[in-house]
Structures are given as structure tokens and as C-alpha cells.
Amino acid sequence: MADTLTLGHRNFTSRLLTGTGKFASNEQIRPMLSASGSEIITVALRRVDLQASPQDNILTHIPDHVTLLPNTSGARTAEEAVRIARIAREAGCGDFIKIEVITDMQYLLPDNHETLKAAEILAKDDFIVLPYVMPDITISRQLYDAGAAAVMPLGSPIGSNRGLEMKPMIQRIIDTSRLPVIVDAGIGRPSQAAEAMEMGTDAVLVNTAIATARDPVQAGKAFSLAVTAGRMAYQAGMAGSSRRARASSPLTGFLQE
């Protein structure tokens, strides 16, 4: 049986979501997608210019088989997020939407209250809603009731590459959520992506760490391998750790028996 990630009515074989921001050149996006195998890529609607030349239109650098995940970057309220989502749909960007409502400009932390309000409205409009939130089991349950397709808790502040600073809270969401859990923001190393997957996360979204690497294509491949390894380790049911040594072989001295 295939191990797929299901979001709304769609199944995906890759559990690595990527982004379009911060690349030195848009020409790096297509080969990065090819190397990473990522099937979902997020793009800020304000970066989409359908009137631009093919070179400058970011959408022309995304292969048709890759699912667009427009995000509501720049929204300060639920109403703004809803408006951005509807514009994205009208622009032909599909029904997937990543809700980002940020009111904290110092740490760029998501506003869970406004995000929930937007999720309730957009789910009723038949969007496939992926909300970016502060890790909290209550908001996770509320988003399930609202009809969201997943919950996306942050690992650490966006663009920080600080990894899983919110690990205990994320683990509680994994343990209780009825939605797929996608760790978003802060993952800066493939090892951190693997760690998230070993915890039982369903997928991770990585943008800055790939886009700002010296070789984004190689970085995309590295993250892909890490996500696969972490998923396999989770499915294998790895043994727990111990404070005391445990011998791999019997310690009885058979030469003395």
C-alpha cells in the first residue's frame, strides 16, 4: 500500500513541501523541484504577476504537475486573508490555500485567532485550507472542526533556521490531531527535517534553508532524502533511549562455562 500524504481530495507521494521565496534567481526553482521531488510549492500571491514576462512571472518556473499552494502573506486580518485567497483562485492558482495571518512584526508569529476565522470562511468556500499557526492543541482541534485540510505549526520563527524550538508542543499536536500535521517555518537543516518526521509529522515545508543554500538544487535533494529517512524511521518504530548501557550481545563469559 502506497504511503501517501492526503490533503483534501489529493494524494501526494512526497512529504516535502517547498517555497518560492528568497531564491537568487527564479531559474533555480524548476531544477530544485526536480531534485527534491516536491509536489507542492507555496507562493505569495503578491509575487505573482500574470502580466510579467515569462522570465519574471514566477508561475512559469513551476511545472504543471506541481500543486500550487498560494499563501496569504501580508494579511493582518482574517478578512484580508480571505480576500487574498479569493483573488488567488480567480487568478487561476487553484483551490489550495495556505493561510498566513501575521500581526507580530518582530518575530513574525502567526495570529491563531484571525487564522481560525479565515479558515472557517475559506473551508465553507471549498478551499483546501492549510493554516499556519502557533503550535497549540486547542487551535488544532478548532481547525479540524472548521474543515481545514491540515494544521501547520511553526518549528521556530520563520526564516530563522533554528529548527524545532517548539518540539514539545508540536509533539502534543501530533499525538492528538485528527488532521495531517505539517511543520512549517524554522527548519534549517536536513537533520531537523528528519527529526520532525521521526516524531510523526506528516510532512514539512522548507523554503529559506533550500533557497538560500549555496546550491539550492543539492539542498533540495538533501532535504528530500532526510524527509524520506525520517518517515521510514517513524514507520519502523525506533526503540527508545536509555540512561544505562545495554549490551548488544550476551555478557556471560562462555569460555568460562
Side-chain angles (χ1 to χ4, degrees), residues 77-130:
T77 66
E79 289 74 20
E80 291 180 358
V82 169
R83 191 185 320 156
I84 293 171
R86 288 172 175 166
I87 293 172
R89 174 185 270 173
E90 288 298 316
C93 294
D95 294 330
F96 278 74
I97 191 73
K98 177 189 168 190
I99 301 177
E100 286 186 28
V101 181
I102 294 176
T103 52
D104 167 63
M105 292 300 106
Q106 182 173 4
Y107 297 104
L108 302 179
L109 301 178
D111 184 321
N112 283 0
H113 177 67
E114 292 295 313
T115 299
L116 177 60
K117 287 168 58 180
E120 290 172 337
I121 296 170
L122 293 173
K124 289 177 181 175
D125 280 355
D126 296 326
F127 279 91
I128 299 170
V129 177
L130 282 69

Side-chain angles (χ1 to χ4, degrees), residues 61-218:
H61 300 278
I62 301 173
D64 292 339
H65 72 275
V66 175
T67 296
L68 274 182
L69 177 61
N71 65 64
T72 63
S73 174
R76 302 285 186 272
T77 66
E79 289 74 20
E80 291 180 358
V82 169
R83 191 185 320 156
I84 293 171
R86 288 172 175 166
I87 293 172
R89 174 185 270 173
E90 288 298 316
C93 294
D95 294 330
F96 278 74
I97 191 73
K98 177 189 168 190
I99 301 177
E100 286 186 28
V101 181
I102 294 176
T103 52
D104 167 63
M105 292 300 106
Q106 182 173 4
Y107 297 104
L108 302 179
L109 301 178
D111 184 321
N112 283 0
H113 177 67
E114 292 295 313
T115 299
L116 177 60
K117 287 168 58 180
E120 290 172 337
I121 296 170
L122 293 173
K124 289 177 181 175
D125 280 355
D126 296 326
F127 279 91
I128 299 170
V129 177
L130 282 69
Y132 168 57
V133 297
M134 288 292 296
D136 177 82
I137 59 173
T138 299
I139 191 69
S140 175
R141 290 169 178 157
Q142 291 171 331
L143 288 170
Y144 173 81
D145 292 338
V151 58
M152 304 181 75
L154 65 85
S156 53
I158 194 167
S160 67
N161 289 343
R162 296 178 62 87
L164 301 174
E165 291 187 333
M166 309 299 287
K167 183 175 180 178
M169 294 301 294
I170 293 172
Q171 186 65 66
R172 292 177 187 124
I173 293 177
I174 293 169
D175 293 343
T176 59
S177 178
R178 299 171 70 179
L179 294 172
V181 179
I182 303 171
V183 172
D184 182 13
I187 292 180
R189 295 284 184 276
S191 58
Q192 295 164 353
E195 183 180 9
M197 297 303 297
E198 289 173 13
M199 291 167 59
T201 296
D202 294 281
V204 298
L205 193 156
V206 182
N207 183 183
T208 298
I210 293 176
T212 61
R214 186 172 64 248
D215 185 341
V217 175
Q218 188 78 345

Side-chain angles (χ1 to χ4, degrees), residues 6-11 96 128 149:
T6 301
L7 298 173
H9 59 279
R10 297 279 304 278
N11 293 324
F96 278 74
I128 299 170

